[in-house]
Amino acid sequence: MGKENELTFLQKASIQWNSFRKFLWNSEEKTVLGRNGKSWAQISLFYLVFYACLAIFWAIMLIVFLQTITEDKPKWTSYIGTPGLYQIPQPEEKLNMIRFNMKDEKSYEKYTKPMRKLYDQYVENMKNSDAVNCTDGGVRPDDRDTICEFDIEEAFGDGVCNPENDFGYKLGTPCIFIGLNRVWGWEPENYDEDDVPKEIVDNGYMKNFITIGCEVYKDVSTQLNNTEISPKAGISFKYYPYLGAANDNYKNDYVSPLVAVRFSLFKKNTEVRLVCKSYAANITPGTGLFDTGFPSELRLDLTINTK
């Protein structure tokens, strides 16, 4: 009993649909979505005023912010005050390890491929760049907007660190490219005569250049037969400061200067840990999260197999 009065599914759906239609438009009370004309006018006015005030507030904040910035330099620069070193190629392994067989081209192709790509990019940039050939001696022109060209073919073309020689890998004397990270506005400084580190004095330190030096890390120096730096003096001061963060033309023409480091090891088939450092009077450990006990360095584990 009782089931005779139970509504069917279609009857329930019909009742719900009629209720929904009445909610959309109630002809008896003259309401739309449950509100009459006066109610809709009041709520529309409220949101119009609310969003207008919100837009005015953010416009004022934007105007105030724009007054604090200039077009010739970024508002905020990196908290890292001095640049650190980077290298090409950058091995995928967690440890900075370069391991290859000098007799097997495929074993070192993953290292030479990014170097060749970068080399070709620099050559192409020279063709389309408005950078100028600055004077020697590491002195930048007085015009801060002048970009000094970096001719990678001239810098590395006469040595082994070029595509024709597979960047030294097929000869068992591999090369890496080393550069400094861009820090807007940073300019290197020369050491005072009495403060030049002994390790770079012995290697022919020159003023107006950031010296790059590499050695065996915590091991006997006899494992390293020779390290050849090109250009030997290092990175010229004429490429600094970098001012390209807010200038698109500057960014398009500027390329980071590099040095090529060629390693020759006495011991083959043995892992040798190397450390490369940059030297200038104002390259010192940072005061932030990434403090180290070294000026500016990178570490590299190198193994050259002959079997």
Side-chain angles (χ1 to χ4, degrees):
M1 295 180 65
K3 290 187 177 182
E4 295 82 357
N5 298 325
E6 186 175 343
L7 298 177
T8 65
F9 172 78
L10 291 178
Q11 288 173 327
K12 291 179 180 178
S14 177
I15 293 173
Q16 291 177 351
W17 170 244
N18 290 331
S19 298
F20 179 68
R21 286 198 307 169
K22 190 173 183 180
F23 171 71
L24 292 177
W25 166 243
N26 189 327
S27 59
E28 297 175 359
E29 298 181 4
K30 308 297 182 183
T31 60
V32 176
L33 300 179
R35 291 181 180 273
N36 58 26
K38 181 180 178 180
S39 178
W40 277 114
Q42 289 174 334
I43 196 171
S44 297
L45 179 62
F46 169 79
Y47 279 108
L48 177 64
V49 173
F50 174 76
Y51 284 115
C53 292
L54 194 63
I56 292 172
F57 171 78
W58 285 111
I60 293 174
M61 294 297 100
L62 179 60
I63 292 172
V64 171
F65 171 74
L66 292 175
Q67 301 306 309
T68 67
I69 63 176
T70 59
E71 294 183 359
D72 61 338
K73 63 180 181 180
K75 171 65 176 177
W76 304 109
T77 55
S78 173
Y79 76 91
I80 300 176
T82 55
L85 290 180
Y86 68 89
Q87 73 177 67
I88 302 294
Q90 182 62 55
E92 296 180 357
E93 295 85 354
K94 291 183 179 180
L95 297 176
N96 194 12
M97 183 181 299
I98 293 180
R99 179 177 295 170
F100 67 96
N101 189 325
M102 57 182 291
K103 298 179 181 180
D104 180 6
E105 182 178 353
K106 291 185 178 180
S107 71
Y108 56 76
E109 187 178 40
K110 60 182 178 181
Y111 305 125
T112 58
K113 187 175 181 179
M115 298 183 72
R116 186 181 300 272
K117 180 179 179 181
L118 181 69
Y119 193 97
D120 292 342
Q121 287 176 343
Y122 272 55
V123 171
E124 186 65 24
N125 180 272
M126 279 285 296
K127 299 176 182 178
N128 304 312
S129 173
D130 292 329
V132 300
N133 186 2
C134 301
T135 58
D136 294 331
V139 180
R140 184 188 178 93
D142 293 334
D143 182 6
R144 287 170 65 89
D145 290 331
T146 298
I147 301 174
C148 295
E149 67 180 12
F150 178 77
D151 189 340
I152 196 168
E153 291 182 299
E154 179 181 341
F156 308 144
D158 294 336
V160 172
C161 299
N162 54 55
E164 290 73 20
N165 296 301
D166 280 339
F167 302 99
Y169 284 79
K170 67 180 180 181
L171 305 176
T173 55
C175 301
I176 63 172
F177 294 150
I178 291 181
L180 272 71
N181 297 319
R182 296 177 182 179
V183 177
W184 193 95
W186 179 82
E187 296 184 68
E189 298 175 0
N190 284 310
Y191 288 103
D192 294 332
E193 291 186 7
D194 297 334
D195 295 332
V196 182
K198 184 178 183 302
E199 57 265 33
I200 63 174
V201 171
D202 296 341
N203 292 328
Y205 165 74
M206 291 182 62
K207 283 189 174 183
N208 299 324
F209 286 87
I210 301 171
T211 304
I212 304 296
C214 298
E215 59 187 9
V216 174
Y217 179 67
K218 291 184 179 180
D219 209 336
V220 291
S221 59
T222 53
Q223 290 192 39
L224 187 61
N225 183 12
N226 183 39
T227 301
E228 180 182 311
I229 308 287
S230 301
K232 185 176 181 179
I235 299 175
S236 171
F237 282 14
K238 66 184 179 183
Y239 300 109
Y240 300 93
Y242 170 70
L243 303 173
N247 186 324
D248 289 337
N249 292 331
Y250 193 107
K251 286 190 291 186
N252 292 335
D253 290 334
Y254 183 90
V255 296
S256 298
L258 302 169
V259 297
V261 182
R262 180 189 181 197
F263 298 104
S264 178
L265 304 181
F266 273 118
K267 290 188 177 181
K268 301 293 194 295
N269 307 304
T270 301
E271 181 179 302
V272 178
R273 179 162 294 180
L274 306 163
V275 59
C276 295
K277 301 179 183 180
S278 59
Y279 296 87
N282 58 338
I283 294 182
T284 56
T287 57
L289 179 63
F290 300 103
D291 283 355
T292 67
F294 302 94
S296 180
E297 69 172 39
L298 59 86
R299 299 179 189 179
L300 172 69
D301 289 338
L302 177 62
T303 304
I304 304 174
N305 293 320
T306 59
K307 300 177 182 178

